[in-house]
Amino acid sequence: MLADPLSGSAAARLLTGARWRLAAADVAALWRRAGELSSPEKADTPELVAERVEQAGLIDAIDEPGDPARYSEEGFKRIKRIGWELAALRRRLDQSLPELVADVERTMLLDVESLARPGSAGRAHLDAFAEVVTDYAETAPTATLLSFVDYLNTAAHAEDGLTPGEVEVVPDRVQVLTVHSAKGLEWEVVAVPHLVHEVFPGRRRSSSWLRTATSLPAALRGDAEDLPELRIAEGYDRKEVQEGLELHEAGFVEREQAEERRLCYVALTRSEHALIVSGHWWNESSSRAKGPSEFLTEISDVLRETGVGQLAEWAPEPAKEDENPLVSDSRAGRWPVDPLAGRRTGVQTGVELVSEAMAAPPEPAEEDDDPDGWLTDTDVLLEEWARKDDQVKRVPLPSRLSVSQLVALADDAARLAGDLSRPLPVEPNSFARRGTEFHGWLERRFAGDQLIEIDDLPGAADFGEAPDADFEELQTEFEKSEWAARVPVAVEVTFSADVEGITLRGRMDAVFADPDGGWTVVDWKTGAVPPESRIPALSVQLAAYRMAWAALKDVPVERVRAAFHYVRANRTIRPADLLDPEALQRLLRDIPEA
């Protein structure tokens, strides 16, 4: 969305869309400017000729629009603002992929658009896309923007695109969505258009794995039991092998036809009271008539035979020499389309009135600030608006959580939900104040150096963590503690545990053997002792450590104790009511609100 990915048709859609609405003359001027930038005669240096010939496009022209006189006055203002936004986004390319995509969402005002249309599926799709971005970044540590765009293009061509966000039924508006998205939902009236030959059911997009290099062999797929069997045995001659391959291919054709029929069944069973189905002879571009699909023909036959519904119209088939009226007949329309249409004057007037009111100095307060009851009415309307959506929005937890995120879930679930759905950049020096030098000293003191990952740095969940500059003071205080004379059985133990389908990752600072045959897991804290009100949430970290060590040793969790030791205060806190595995499962099962 920042460089090459925003070229060609994608760039044209953005520039002529509802937000920027560049006119055709300005887009044409930009394209001519792109041609100048690609021209050897216009190039600043001969060395850049080849590169510009390959890369120059509408976005390059936006970066260097040239003479303002070639554009309309308003168009040039919009072009400069688009260029400024793209330049600002490029400066943030060093962020992680989820943060960068969230930045793009905010900069392009997609979040505002979804909030301005309550009840729409916009937010659901944005959240679903954010989850895809996060999953991709987790599975591809070296993920870049361009590699992610390649991944999206591959998904669109090889896997029919990504799974859309879940859509909710909104009773007071018309909703347009795919049959896949409508599964499990129901409306009073449903219209299923385009039951047309090679549209629904659609033309077969690809063959089986026998002819498509990107497809997995049937035997290696997870749904192998439902796929046609390849019946070829040792000793078959060439003819028998060929027949086996053809039967295998035919099985895939039959399976795809059955899938299309099941999809049609889903579409036809979404209505509560009324169902409308339709097809057409002519589409917007074809030179040959299309005609009804087998689904529409079968439905019409049922209507004629049973009289259950009404066959409103069945147009006769056009003659072979007839031309497509949608192609031959010229049509006029305004472009780019005004998204406000007839409401623009009223909306613009409202914006001007609000802007003037905000700029005007406040009037002196009168004895009766609300003589007509407007403030009361406004409060009531605002409360009604706040209650308009009584369905709780839930944010699915990712497949992997760090112990720090688990503590955040117990401490402030709403904040964690916001961080997961709309990740923000973290402070650049967040790891500099985690007492890592002290943790490293303890590790060497007990067991020698071990490699650690940056996400698992010791002290990640500390409360008011200490700067590394306090290293010597922390050493002195630790030598006074009860733990200085004890020898741990393990230090810096990395673990990964599965709870409710979510993988918890973390590192235990130290584990000590107890005289009664049990163990105590200790987490060193270099910061201040937190208030009592925060101990229950922070103790979730110890509960996870205790469960992990019990699983590693294959012993009951009751035999494992856990404690925080606050080094600076020389105080050890042993929470009495640590969560057991069932309680941890309930915590992860209670997905936080968005």
Side-chain angles (χ1 to χ4, degrees), residues 205-232:
R205 292 177 294 273
S206 61
S207 60
S208 71
W209 63 277
L210 296 174
R211 300 180 182 178
T212 304
T214 57
S215 298
L216 278 175
L220 300 181
R221 287 175 47 168
D223 57 349
E225 295 181 357
D226 301 326
L227 297 177
E229 182 181 356
L230 178 58
R231 298 179 179 177
I232 296 178

mmCIF file of all heavy atoms in Angstrom, residues 205-232:
data_model
loop_
_atom_site.group_PDB
_atom_site.id
_atom_site.type_symbol
_atom_site.label_atom_id
_atom_site.label_comp_id
_atom_site.label_asym_id
_atom_site.label_seq_id
_atom_site.Cartn_x
_atom_site.Cartn_y
_atom_site.Cartn_z
ATOM 1 N N ARG A 205 -12.316 -23.178 -12.099
ATOM 2 C CA ARG A 205 -11.165 -22.279 -12.107
ATOM 3 C C ARG A 205 -9.840 -22.997 -12.271
ATOM 4 O O ARG A 205 -8.879 -22.449 -12.762
ATOM 5 C CB ARG A 205 -11.152 -21.467 -10.807
ATOM 6 C CG ARG A 205 -12.301 -20.485 -10.702
ATOM 7 C CD ARG A 205 -12.273 -19.771 -9.371
ATOM 8 N NE ARG A 205 -12.525 -20.681 -8.272
ATOM 9 C CZ ARG A 205 -13.730 -21.006 -7.815
ATOM 10 N NH1 ARG A 205 -14.804 -20.506 -8.393
ATOM 11 N NH2 ARG A 205 -13.890 -21.831 -6.807
ATOM 12 N N SER A 206 -9.750 -24.233 -11.814
ATOM 13 C CA SER A 206 -8.481 -24.964 -11.914
ATOM 14 C C SER A 206 -8.773 -26.453 -11.946
ATOM 15 O O SER A 206 -9.846 -26.902 -11.547
ATOM 16 C CB SER A 206 -7.560 -24.630 -10.726
ATOM 17 O OG SER A 206 -8.177 -25.012 -9.512
ATOM 18 N N SER A 207 -7.820 -27.208 -12.411
ATOM 19 C CA SER A 207 -7.970 -28.652 -12.448
ATOM 20 C C SER A 207 -7.436 -29.242 -11.146
ATOM 21 O O SER A 207 -7.115 -28.520 -10.208
ATOM 22 C CB SER A 207 -7.232 -29.222 -13.659
ATOM 23 O OG SER A 207 -5.853 -28.904 -13.574
ATOM 24 N N SER A 208 -7.321 -30.554 -11.113
ATOM 25 C CA SER A 208 -6.828 -31.205 -9.902
ATOM 26 C C SER A 208 -5.315 -31.058 -9.810
ATOM 27 O O SER A 208 -4.656 -30.462 -10.666
ATOM 28 C CB SER A 208 -7.226 -32.683 -9.927
ATOM 29 O OG SER A 208 -6.461 -33.367 -10.904
ATOM 30 N N TRP A 209 -4.753 -31.681 -8.779
ATOM 31 C CA TRP A 209 -3.311 -31.607 -8.563
ATOM 32 C C TRP A 209 -2.528 -32.279 -9.686
ATOM 33 O O TRP A 209 -1.326 -32.031 -9.834
ATOM 34 C CB TRP A 209 -2.965 -32.271 -7.232
ATOM 35 C CG TRP A 209 -3.278 -33.737 -7.173
ATOM 36 C CD1 TRP A 209 -4.474 -34.320 -6.893
ATOM 37 C CD2 TRP A 209 -2.369 -34.811 -7.416
ATOM 38 N NE1 TRP A 209 -4.391 -35.682 -6.942
ATOM 39 C CE2 TRP A 209 -3.098 -36.016 -7.259
ATOM 40 C CE3 TRP A 209 -1.018 -34.886 -7.753
ATOM 41 C CZ2 TRP A 209 -2.513 -37.264 -7.430
ATOM 42 C CZ3 TRP A 209 -0.434 -36.128 -7.917
ATOM 43 C CH2 TRP A 209 -1.170 -37.306 -7.759
ATOM 44 N N LEU A 210 -3.196 -33.088 -10.487
ATOM 45 C CA LEU A 210 -2.505 -33.746 -11.592
ATOM 46 C C LEU A 210 -2.032 -32.755 -12.640
ATOM 47 O O LEU A 210 -1.065 -33.015 -13.360
ATOM 48 C CB LEU A 210 -3.430 -34.782 -12.250
ATOM 49 C CG LEU A 210 -3.853 -35.967 -11.363
ATOM 50 C CD1 LEU A 210 -4.870 -36.817 -12.089
ATOM 51 C CD2 LEU A 210 -2.637 -36.795 -10.954
ATOM 52 N N ARG A 211 -2.725 -31.613 -12.730
ATOM 53 C CA ARG A 211 -2.382 -30.626 -13.755
ATOM 54 C C ARG A 211 -2.025 -29.261 -13.175
ATOM 55 O O ARG A 211 -1.701 -28.352 -13.931
ATOM 56 C CB ARG A 211 -3.544 -30.464 -14.726
ATOM 57 C CG ARG A 211 -3.915 -31.759 -15.437
ATOM 58 C CD ARG A 211 -5.068 -31.554 -16.396
ATOM 59 N NE ARG A 211 -5.473 -32.790 -17.055
ATOM 60 C CZ ARG A 211 -6.476 -32.893 -17.918
ATOM 61 N NH1 ARG A 211 -7.169 -31.820 -18.236
ATOM 62 N NH2 ARG A 211 -6.790 -34.062 -18.460
ATOM 63 N N THR A 212 -2.100 -29.111 -11.877
ATOM 64 C CA THR A 212 -1.806 -27.827 -11.246
ATOM 65 C C THR A 212 -0.640 -28.009 -10.286
ATOM 66 O O THR A 212 -0.762 -28.704 -9.261
ATOM 67 C CB THR A 212 -3.031 -27.295 -10.489
ATOM 68 O OG1 THR A 212 -4.137 -27.221 -11.390
ATOM 69 C CG2 THR A 212 -2.747 -25.908 -9.925
ATOM 70 N N ALA A 213 0.471 -27.372 -10.599
ATOM 71 C CA ALA A 213 1.697 -27.582 -9.814
ATOM 72 C C ALA A 213 1.573 -27.054 -8.390
ATOM 73 O O ALA A 213 2.253 -27.535 -7.484
ATOM 74 C CB ALA A 213 2.882 -26.913 -10.515
ATOM 75 N N THR A 214 0.703 -26.057 -8.168
ATOM 76 C CA THR A 214 0.592 -25.450 -6.841
ATOM 77 C C THR A 214 -0.332 -26.223 -5.909
ATOM 78 O O THR A 214 -0.471 -25.845 -4.747
ATOM 79 C CB THR A 214 0.093 -24.007 -6.971
ATOM 80 O OG1 THR A 214 -1.167 -24.003 -7.673
ATOM 81 C CG2 THR A 214 1.095 -23.142 -7.715
ATOM 82 N N SER A 215 -0.991 -27.263 -6.390
ATOM 83 C CA SER A 215 -1.926 -28.026 -5.568
ATOM 84 C C SER A 215 -1.236 -29.234 -4.935
ATOM 85 O O SER A 215 -0.378 -29.869 -5.554
ATOM 86 C CB SER A 215 -3.116 -28.506 -6.408
ATOM 87 O OG SER A 215 -3.841 -27.411 -6.928
ATOM 88 N N LEU A 216 -1.629 -29.526 -3.694
ATOM 89 C CA LEU A 216 -1.080 -30.691 -3.014
ATOM 90 C C LEU A 216 -1.687 -31.971 -3.589
ATOM 91 O O LEU A 216 -2.869 -31.994 -3.961
ATOM 92 C CB LEU A 216 -1.406 -30.631 -1.523
ATOM 93 C CG LEU A 216 -0.510 -29.786 -0.623
ATOM 94 C CD1 LEU A 216 -1.083 -29.780 0.781
ATOM 95 C CD2 LEU A 216 0.908 -30.321 -0.605
ATOM 96 N N PRO A 217 -0.936 -33.053 -3.649
ATOM 97 C CA PRO A 217 -1.529 -34.344 -4.023
ATOM 98 C C PRO A 217 -2.665 -34.703 -3.064
ATOM 99 O O PRO A 217 -2.616 -34.367 -1.879
ATOM 100 C CB PRO A 217 -0.356 -35.322 -3.902
ATOM 101 C CG PRO A 217 0.859 -34.465 -4.091
ATOM 102 C CD PRO A 217 0.536 -33.139 -3.495
ATOM 103 N N ALA A 218 -3.670 -35.356 -3.599
ATOM 104 C CA ALA A 218 -4.865 -35.657 -2.807
ATOM 105 C C ALA A 218 -4.520 -36.409 -1.527
ATOM 106 O O ALA A 218 -5.101 -36.161 -0.462
ATOM 107 C CB ALA A 218 -5.856 -36.450 -3.652
ATOM 108 N N ALA A 219 -3.582 -37.333 -1.595
ATOM 109 C CA ALA A 219 -3.257 -38.156 -0.430
ATOM 110 C C ALA A 219 -2.615 -37.357 0.694
ATOM 111 O O ALA A 219 -2.618 -37.797 1.854
ATOM 112 C CB ALA A 219 -2.328 -39.293 -0.848
ATOM 113 N N LEU A 220 -2.052 -36.180 0.411
ATOM 114 C CA LEU A 220 -1.357 -35.381 1.419
ATOM 115 C C LEU A 220 -2.242 -34.312 2.031
ATOM 116 O O LEU A 220 -1.829 -33.630 2.969
ATOM 117 C CB LEU A 220 -0.122 -34.715 0.789
ATOM 118 C CG LEU A 220 0.932 -35.657 0.206
ATOM 119 C CD1 LEU A 220 2.087 -34.852 -0.357
ATOM 120 C CD2 LEU A 220 1.427 -36.632 1.265
ATOM 121 N N ARG A 221 -3.435 -34.140 1.526
ATOM 122 C CA ARG A 221 -4.318 -33.085 2.027
ATOM 123 C C ARG A 221 -5.061 -33.533 3.277
ATOM 124 O O ARG A 221 -5.307 -34.725 3.489
ATOM 125 C CB ARG A 221 -5.313 -32.679 0.940
ATOM 126 C CG ARG A 221 -4.661 -31.862 -0.164
ATOM 127 C CD ARG A 221 -5.580 -31.556 -1.308
ATOM 128 N NE ARG A 221 -6.895 -31.067 -0.912
ATOM 129 C CZ ARG A 221 -7.765 -30.525 -1.753
ATOM 130 N NH1 ARG A 221 -7.438 -30.412 -3.040
ATOM 131 N NH2 ARG A 221 -8.950 -30.125 -1.340
ATOM 132 N N GLY A 222 -5.440 -32.552 4.098
ATOM 133 C CA GLY A 222 -6.165 -32.865 5.318
ATOM 134 C C GLY A 222 -7.538 -33.449 5.080
ATOM 135 O O GLY A 222 -8.074 -34.177 5.920
ATOM 136 N N ASP A 223 -8.142 -33.123 3.918
ATOM 137 C CA ASP A 223 -9.461 -33.672 3.590
ATOM 138 C C ASP A 223 -9.354 -34.845 2.620
ATOM 139 O O ASP A 223 -10.247 -35.073 1.799
ATOM 140 C CB ASP A 223 -10.348 -32.584 2.984
ATOM 141 C CG ASP A 223 -9.718 -31.939 1.746
ATOM 142 O OD1 ASP A 223 -8.526 -32.185 1.494
ATOM 143 O OD2 ASP A 223 -10.421 -31.185 1.045
ATOM 144 N N ALA A 224 -8.265 -35.604 2.700
ATOM 145 C CA ALA A 224 -8.009 -36.694 1.750
ATOM 146 C C ALA A 224 -9.144 -37.716 1.739
ATOM 147 O O ALA A 224 -9.450 -38.303 0.696
ATOM 148 C CB ALA A 224 -6.685 -37.385 2.091
ATOM 149 N N GLU A 225 -9.797 -37.922 2.897
ATOM 150 C CA GLU A 225 -10.858 -38.918 2.961
ATOM 151 C C GLU A 225 -12.048 -38.545 2.076
ATOM 152 O O GLU A 225 -12.803 -39.424 1.644
ATOM 153 C CB GLU A 225 -11.325 -39.100 4.407
ATOM 154 C CG GLU A 225 -10.245 -39.689 5.322
ATOM 155 C CD GLU A 225 -10.767 -39.881 6.727
ATOM 156 O OE1 GLU A 225 -11.936 -39.505 6.982
ATOM 157 O OE2 GLU A 225 -10.016 -40.399 7.574
ATOM 158 N N ASP A 226 -12.231 -37.248 1.837
ATOM 159 C CA ASP A 226 -13.368 -36.787 1.044
ATOM 160 C C ASP A 226 -13.018 -36.604 -0.427
ATOM 161 O O ASP A 226 -13.885 -36.222 -1.219
ATOM 162 C CB ASP A 226 -13.890 -35.458 1.601
ATOM 163 C CG ASP A 226 -14.331 -35.582 3.041
ATOM 164 O OD1 ASP A 226 -14.845 -36.658 3.402
ATOM 165 O OD2 ASP A 226 -14.154 -34.617 3.805
ATOM 166 N N LEU A 227 -11.771 -36.852 -0.800
ATOM 167 C CA LEU A 227 -11.335 -36.614 -2.170
ATOM 168 C C LEU A 227 -11.397 -37.896 -2.989
ATOM 169 O O LEU A 227 -11.342 -39.006 -2.432
ATOM 170 C CB LEU A 227 -9.910 -36.054 -2.179
ATOM 171 C CG LEU A 227 -9.712 -34.699 -1.504
ATOM 172 C CD1 LEU A 227 -8.243 -34.308 -1.537
ATOM 173 C CD2 LEU A 227 -10.555 -33.628 -2.168
ATOM 174 N N PRO A 228 -11.496 -37.772 -4.322
ATOM 175 C CA PRO A 228 -11.499 -38.976 -5.175
ATOM 176 C C PRO A 228 -10.204 -39.761 -5.025
ATOM 177 O O PRO A 228 -9.123 -39.192 -4.859
ATOM 178 C CB PRO A 228 -11.633 -38.389 -6.586
ATOM 179 C CG PRO A 228 -12.183 -37.022 -6.399
ATOM 180 C CD PRO A 228 -11.671 -36.528 -5.091
ATOM 181 N N GLU A 229 -10.315 -41.047 -5.067
ATOM 182 C CA GLU A 229 -9.147 -41.921 -4.913
ATOM 183 C C GLU A 229 -8.471 -42.131 -6.273
ATOM 184 O O GLU A 229 -9.145 -42.311 -7.288
ATOM 185 C CB GLU A 229 -9.585 -43.269 -4.348
ATOM 186 C CG GLU A 229 -8.423 -44.229 -4.118
ATOM 187 C CD GLU A 229 -8.902 -45.568 -3.590
ATOM 188 O OE1 GLU A 229 -10.126 -45.706 -3.341
ATOM 189 O OE2 GLU A 229 -8.061 -46.477 -3.437
ATOM 190 N N LEU A 230 -7.150 -42.063 -6.288
ATOM 191 C CA LEU A 230 -6.386 -42.328 -7.505
ATOM 192 C C LEU A 230 -6.126 -43.835 -7.585
ATOM 193 O O LEU A 230 -5.321 -44.386 -6.818
ATOM 194 C CB LEU A 230 -5.073 -41.552 -7.490
ATOM 195 C CG LEU A 230 -4.146 -41.772 -8.687
ATOM 196 C CD1 LEU A 230 -4.847 -41.423 -9.996
ATOM 197 C CD2 LEU A 230 -2.868 -40.968 -8.521
ATOM 198 N N ARG A 231 -6.828 -44.500 -8.488
ATOM 199 C CA ARG A 231 -6.755 -45.953 -8.558
ATOM 200 C C ARG A 231 -5.777 -46.380 -9.660
ATOM 201 O O ARG A 231 -6.163 -46.615 -10.802
ATOM 202 C CB ARG A 231 -8.145 -46.532 -8.812
ATOM 203 C CG ARG A 231 -9.123 -46.211 -7.675
ATOM 204 C CD ARG A 231 -10.497 -46.752 -7.926
ATOM 205 N NE ARG A 231 -11.386 -46.445 -6.808
ATOM 206 C CZ ARG A 231 -12.674 -46.750 -6.771
ATOM 207 N NH1 ARG A 231 -13.228 -47.377 -7.812
ATOM 208 N NH2 ARG A 231 -13.404 -46.420 -5.724
ATOM 209 N N ILE A 232 -4.534 -46.424 -9.293
ATOM 210 C CA ILE A 232 -3.467 -46.896 -10.181
ATOM 211 C C ILE A 232 -2.604 -47.857 -9.379
ATOM 212 O O ILE A 232 -2.159 -47.526 -8.282
ATOM 213 C CB ILE A 232 -2.614 -45.730 -10.717
ATOM 214 C CG1 ILE A 232 -3.469 -44.798 -11.584
ATOM 215 C CG2 ILE A 232 -1.437 -46.262 -11.522
ATOM 216 C CD1 ILE A 232 -2.710 -43.608 -12.111
#
